[in-house]
Amino acid sequence: MTTPSAPADASLPTTVPGKRQDAGDRLPAVDVFRGLAIVAVVAHHLTGLALRHAEAGSTLSTGIAVVNRSLHFVVPAFVFMTALVLTRSAMRRLDLGKYYAARIRTALLPYLLWTVLYVLFRVLTRQDPPSVLADPERWQVWVQYGKGYFHLYFLLIVLQFYLVLPLLLPLWRRRWPFLGVLIAAFTLQFLVFWLNRAGVLSFRFPGTMALWYVPALTLGMYFGANEGAFEALWARWRWWFVGAAVLALAWYVPVAVTLLQGGRVSSVTYSAANWTFTAAAVLALFGLAQVLAPLQTRWRGVLVYLGTVSLQIYLLHPAVLGFLERLGFPGHSATFLAVLALYGLIALGIPVLIARLLEGRALSRWLFGR
């Protein structure tokens, strides 16, 4: 048995998250999906932080680990939605000049800016010494692999997808059968895995590469290119989707927790379980968003708003968590969980407040590309 090189453990969002489409291009469930996903992102990172403070081997620590690993679908979820929304728009109209200019303005420049800001944050919070600022090799790693801070690699994945999307569109000019697309996606994903393992691709950090998310990207492009396809499949096969997600969860979580706790797990087993679980969970989550989207309730409205500002939450909440971690956690389990919930509300609330204050301002366009 070998220990796998697991994907980078951070978790995000887009078209990039929270990007608004024209009213005629909007899917009712998209913002609900993003709202659910960004709450899961914050919960994932928060439980990861809490694991460092819970007593190792305790029931509390094990429970937090299970929740944390159960939320590993969050990055594929936003990758899926990015592919769906952008493919849907590009299939209708695509001006390459305007397309790439917009990607530079709304994605590349914010990625570079936030890389610099989070490197400075690392130095100011003494996670790194000031000398790293003059180290060109460190800057190369931070920019090339999305390592400026633990969550920025997602934006790099999105940038890679943006770059090649126009080349992939011709594949979706005809309607392929869903099962065939699913089989092809997993076949290609395992081909990438074996090529990387054999040293042909030699990804230094596989989890920062778009090719490590082939099922999520493929499913997103499939449903983006075939309007109404997901709704039809969900109406007919929803319980199969939910059942697949539950079974995949039962397979993946024990494997992931074993690895987290220092056990030995085959990289093949881990990767197969991870890709199966994340693909099934993403489809089930989108199905849940379809169910919630027509409801006229306060919670649905909250999810929609969180979805529209999900990029802002994604970019800002790690800094908030960094300060909250300095406050620590109490020793008693019940109090620990209460503080954990409070930290979650703060980690969501502060970015939402900042997004609200900056809405429509030039600074928001510089920071978030919108």
Side-chain angles (χ1 to χ4, degrees):
M1 304 286 280
T2 58
T3 301
S5 55
D9 189 22
S11 312
L12 241 115
T14 168
T15 311
V16 174
K19 182 177 180 180
R20 295 178 178 270
Q21 287 78 50
D22 294 336
D25 289 338
R26 296 180 72 85
L27 293 171
V30 167
D31 285 331
V32 174
F33 179 94
R34 288 186 180 133
L36 291 167
I38 199 61
V39 171
V41 165
V42 175
H44 175 55
H45 290 154
L46 182 60
T47 51
L49 179 158
L51 276 174
R52 297 195 288 271
H53 295 267
E55 181 183 353
S58 66
T59 301
L60 176 64
S61 177
T62 301
I64 293 173
V66 168
V67 173
N68 180 266
R69 300 295 105 163
S70 299
L71 295 170
H72 262 179
F73 63 85
V74 288
V75 164
F78 276 115
V79 168
F80 165 84
M81 189 51 62
T82 298
L84 187 154
V85 172
L86 203 59
T87 300
R88 186 170 185 260
S89 175
M91 291 288 284
R92 293 177 172 182
R93 55 190 178 276
L94 180 65
D95 181 311
L96 285 179
K98 293 181 179 179
Y99 170 81
Y100 283 116
R103 302 290 78 79
I104 291 171
R105 184 181 70 255
T106 63
L108 178 59
L109 294 180
Y111 168 67
L112 296 175
L113 175 61
W114 282 96
T115 296
V116 172
L117 291 176
Y118 268 105
V119 168
L120 294 175
F121 178 78
R122 289 161 65 116
V123 171
L124 291 173
T125 55
R126 300 182 180 180
Q127 299 177 56
D128 283 323
S131 59
V132 301
L133 298 176
D135 186 342
E137 292 184 2
R138 293 291 294 274
W139 279 104
Q140 180 182 354
V141 171
W142 289 331
V143 173
Q144 184 176 350
Y145 298 107
K147 296 294 185 179
Y149 212 64
F150 68 81
H151 65 312
L152 294 177
Y153 79 99
F154 169 75
L155 297 182
L156 183 63
I157 294 168
V158 170
L159 284 167
Q160 294 169 47
F161 175 66
Y162 285 161
L163 183 65
V164 301
L165 171 67
L167 301 177
L168 299 175
L169 289 179
L171 292 173
W172 303 104
R173 294 299 178 187
R174 60 168 291 184
R175 185 156 185 159
W176 304 95
F178 173 71
L179 185 59
V181 168
L182 193 62
I183 292 172
F186 275 89
T187 300
L188 178 57
Q189 184 65 86
F190 279 101
L191 178 61
V192 170
F193 174 86
W194 287 109
L195 289 175
N196 187 62
R197 189 171 184 175
V200 177
L201 295 176
S202 298
F203 292 147
R204 183 175 177 182
F205 301 105
T208 68
M209 307 302 296
L211 281 174
W212 221 244
Y213 303 87
V214 172
L217 286 170
T218 302
L219 290 171
M221 293 196 75
Y222 175 80
F223 291 121
N226 298 284
E227 294 187 35
F230 182 84
E231 291 82 350
L233 285 170
W234 179 253
R236 187 174 181 182
W237 303 107
R238 68 177 63 193
W239 295 115
W240 287 95
F241 284 5
V242 172
V246 171
L247 290 175
L249 175 70
W251 179 23
Y252 175 67
V253 169
V255 172
V257 171
T258 297
L259 182 64
L260 180 66
Q261 295 176 341
R264 295 177 65 83
V265 177
S266 162
S267 58
V268 176
T269 300
Y270 177 87
S271 297
N274 177 275
W275 288 320
T276 303
F277 164 61
T278 54
V282 164
L283 294 179
L285 186 70
F286 195 33
L288 176 60
Q290 300 285 337
V291 172
L292 296 178
L295 302 180
Q296 298 299 320
T297 65
R298 179 175 299 179
W299 285 107
R300 183 262 190 192
V302 169
L303 288 173
V304 167
Y305 183 74
L306 291 177
T308 63
V309 296
S310 55
L311 178 61
Q312 292 91 320
I313 297 171
Y314 178 71
L315 288 171
L316 291 166
H317 82 274
V320 178
L321 290 179
F323 287 114
L324 291 175
E325 185 170 16
R326 293 169 178 263
L327 301 178
F329 290 85
H332 191 272
S333 295
T335 313
F336 188 107
L337 292 175
V339 170
L340 186 66
L342 176 62
Y343 284 177
L345 292 174
I346 295 172
L348 272 173
I350 291 179
V352 167
L353 178 61
I354 293 173
R356 189 84 175 194
L357 292 173
L358 294 180
E359 187 173 351
R361 299 179 183 273
L363 182 58
S364 179
R365 291 191 290 274
W366 277 101
L367 290 173
F368 309 116
R370 63 209 72 248

